[in-house]
Amino acid sequence: MKSALALLAAPLVAALPSDMGKASALKQRQAPVSIHEAFVGAGKEFFGAATDQGLLQREPNAAIIRANFGQVTHENSMKWGSLEANRGSYNWGPADEVVDWAVANGQLVRGHTLIWHSQLPQWVEGITDAEELREVIRNHVSTTVGRYAGRIHHWDVVNEILAEDGSLRDSVFSRVLGEEFVKIAFEVARETDPSAVLYINDYNLDQANYGKVNGMVSLVQKWVNEGVPIDGIAALEQLASAPVGEVAITELDIAQAPVEDYTAVVQACLNVEKCTAITVWGVGDADSWRRGEDPLLFDNNFNPKPAYDAIIDLLS
Ligand code: G3I
């Protein structure tokens, strides 16, 4: 199957005149077949990549995303600590740039993330009064979701809120408000942009019957029964049994990017009807936050890796 890809690649490269300079060099580094289009062809919604303002300005990131992916997630600039490090003073520039670029280039956007214990401003960490924290959450969610209403289609409303045993993780939100912060965040997000798909997002959800997975399923079951408007969870079969419309793999990276592991993840999403999408956590290995682990689909020189080609083979 790999040789079939090489054959596909050959005409593209051969057709480029040798003196086209930088533009042709960039083209050669993009993969010849879009992983996004192949995934959509298999009935899924999108295959995306995390990126950010600085990365998009550094070619060939933007060119690869445009050619090979269909969705972007802000790696850092949409987090509360980036948007409002000082109370009441917003830094929208970098997050806006990513959204504007995505809309101009036909890419969907996942809003990552509204409520997270990490990359959280000090002034939020320090709140001890319940009513003040409720108000601060309402304001943050309505301001942020409102700014991008109609342009951000999926929101990670709450992120990584569970401990490994499936209970609520300790954070300023759980300490001051208990579970109530989940309800507030989802309700305000729903009111502010009724068309956005609202997600609860977490990691280590890839083993069946694991404490965190069990906790996620039963808490989401309970919250949905109580009327909390949760539409989706990130990852898979057991999670898909919770009463949500969809699940997705939202931050995929795998150390050394083994072909068998990447294809297993894609196959798992294909096997689960409710699994709508996959997003990898970056484009090229040189920009991965997991330094030295080479966990992404493009190498340090932005060439597609064997895992990329194998996914295309699987989908075709
Ligand atoms: O922006 C500052 C810069 O001003 C400063 O000079 C520099 C010095 O260390 O730090 C910069 O901030 C860094 C930031 O990324 C932006 O580059 C932080 O130190 C660094 O900790 C931060 O790491 C991010 C990490 O979340 C923080 O938890 C990673 O880039 C980002 O990929 C990672 O993403 C998370 C998801 O949001 C949630 N799930 C886990 C995931 C990683 O798999």
Side-chain angles (χ1 to χ4, degrees), residues 93 96 102 104 117-118 120 122 129 156 166 168 181 184 234 246 264 285:
D96 280 359
H117 65 278
S118 182
L120 185 66
Q122 280 300 320
D129 179 72
D156 291 335
L168 268 195
F181 77 89
I184 297 171
E246 56 184 71
D285 284 333

Side-chain angles (χ1 to χ4, degrees), residues 29-109:
R29 281 201 294 258
Q30 294 154 28
V33 179
S34 161
I35 205 166
H36 168 69
E37 278 164 27
F39 207 41
V40 170
K44 300 298 181 181
E45 209 176 322
F46 59 80
F47 203 117
T51 188
D52 231 323
Q53 179 206 33
L55 294 169
L56 282 177
Q57 287 168 356
R58 195 144 46 80
E59 289 295 2
N61 272 296
I64 289 178
I65 295 176
R66 220 182 280 124
N68 297 152
F69 293 95
Q71 174 269 343
V72 292
T73 303
H74 300 69
E75 187 173 6
N76 285 298
S77 62
M78 191 65 88
K79 293 169 181 174
W80 201 337
S82 307
L83 291 181
E84 197 190 4
N86 300 307
R87 193 168 187 165
S89 152
Y90 287 92
N91 173 34
W92 296 111
D96 280 359
E97 249 188 63
V98 175
V99 175
D100 292 346
W101 181 88
V103 170
N105 288 281
Q107 304 278 320
L108 294 168
V109 186

